[in-house]
Amino acid sequence: DTAVSQTPKYLVTQMGNDKSIKCEQNLGHDTMYWYKQDSKKFLKIMFSYNNKELIINETVPNRFSPKSPDKAHLNLHINSLELGDSAVYFCASSRQGSNYGYTFGSGTRLTVV
Amino acid sequence: SQELEQSPQSLIVQEGKNLTINCTSSKTLYGLYWYKQKYGEGLIFLMMLQKGGEEKSHEKITAKLDEKKQQSSLHITASQPSHAGIYLCGADNYGQNFVFGPGTRLSVLP
């Protein structure tokens, strides 16, 4: 069973479109994250979220919004996609307040054309 | 698909001690990346290794990639409390995907 699963794995879309990436974890973790990985493999945290608190990296454009229907899901919605949004997006989860390890999803490669 | 293993899972050392964290791949690595995670701060990129036998250092942290490009070690000299956190290795699977190891939790006791 996949612990953290993201869908889709690949997403090609045109500028200006709105898209969502889904993330689900079956580990019982209560904190989930979204990271953006650039072409140099630098990972930038976008959001961390548990059922009490949403922490947003203030450098993330407000076109990006996390949506969490329940503890096991944290979806990433992107409005008005731009070319610069092309990247690999990783979802991860951990226990709250954690000095424990993270579990990462396999990534979603987003290409905006 | 490529998998990464890390050892140890967790490590507690006294301040001033040296330590090593290992990352092993099931396949030959194209690029091996080391990150450090501090809670609430996301993942911080430390180093990238690409060539067999390559070694890089940054301050008191040295990372090596073996000649076969299947194993990497991260060595911290004279550890400090500021080194505490979770260290993850990541690997570029020839552009197909990117995978992470499970992480090593390091605690440094003052």
Side-chain angles (χ1 to χ4, degrees):
Chain A
D1 285 341
T2 304
V4 179
S5 61
Q6 293 179 230
T7 54
K9 289 189 79 169
Y10 302 96
L11 182 55
V12 181
T13 187
Q14 288 189 318
M15 282 176 58
N17 284 350
D18 301 339
K19 291 292 178 185
S20 291
I21 305 172
K22 295 184 177 180
C23 179
E24 177 182 3
Q25 54 95 5
N26 61 6
L27 298 165
H29 289 166
D30 47 24
T31 305
M32 297 182 73
Y33 310 82
W34 276 104
Y35 286 87
K36 179 181 180 181
Q37 186 187 51
D38 65 18
S39 58
K40 293 184 179 179
K41 313 302 182 192
F42 293 148
L43 278 161
K44 179 174 124 178
I45 190 166
M46 302 176 72
F47 307 100
S48 67
Y49 183 80
N50 62 33
N51 56 6
K52 297 175 187 174
E53 189 178 16
L54 171 66
I55 300 174
I56 303 172
N57 184 328
E58 60 187 20
T59 66
V60 175
N62 57 16
R63 298 181 295 103
F64 290 79
S65 57
K67 297 189 190 304
S68 180
D70 54 56
K71 280 174 60 172
H73 297 83
L74 184 66
N75 303 325
L76 182 66
H77 190 76
I78 315 168
N79 289 329
S80 303
L81 278 155
E82 299 177 358
L83 293 176
D85 296 334
S86 296
V88 179
Y89 292 83
F90 285 96
C91 176
S93 71
S94 72
R95 285 193 232 172
Q96 184 187 0
S98 183
N99 229 0
Y100 298 92
Y102 282 17
T103 302
F104 280 84
S106 56
T108 295
R109 186 178 295 276
L110 171 65
T111 304
V112 182
V113 297
Chain B
S1 62
Q2 186 168 68
E3 290 186 0
L4 296 177
E5 295 180 356
Q6 284 185 239
S7 62
Q9 271 191 315
S10 65
L11 191 53
I12 303 173
V13 299
Q14 205 71 39
E15 183 177 358
K17 296 293 185 185
N18 303 336
L19 63 106
T20 300
I21 299 169
N22 294 302
C23 176
T24 304
S25 169
S26 57
K27 296 182 181 179
T28 301
L29 296 162
Y30 175 69
L32 188 285
Y33 301 75
W34 282 100
Y35 299 91
K36 179 187 174 185
Q37 182 261 325
K38 291 189 78 172
Y39 183 69
E41 296 181 24
L43 284 175
I44 302 165
F45 172 80
L46 296 175
M47 275 172 277
M48 187 269 253
L49 305 165
Q50 207 163 13
K51 300 176 185 175
E54 187 175 7
E55 180 175 322
K56 287 186 178 178
S57 293
H58 176 68
E59 296 179 347
K60 293 184 178 179
I61 301 177
T62 301
K64 300 179 186 178
L65 183 62
D66 74 341
E67 290 289 344
K68 291 184 178 179
K69 296 171 62 174
Q70 284 190 275
Q71 186 166 1
S72 178
S73 60
L74 187 80
H75 185 78
I76 299 177
T77 304
S79 58
Q80 300 169 355
S82 60
H83 288 127
I86 298 173
Y87 291 82
L88 289 111
C89 60
D92 184 344
N93 189 18
Y94 294 88
Q96 293 180 28
N97 63 338
F98 195 92
V99 295
F100 293 94
T104 295
R105 177 163 60 116
L106 172 64
S107 301
V108 180
L109 303 177

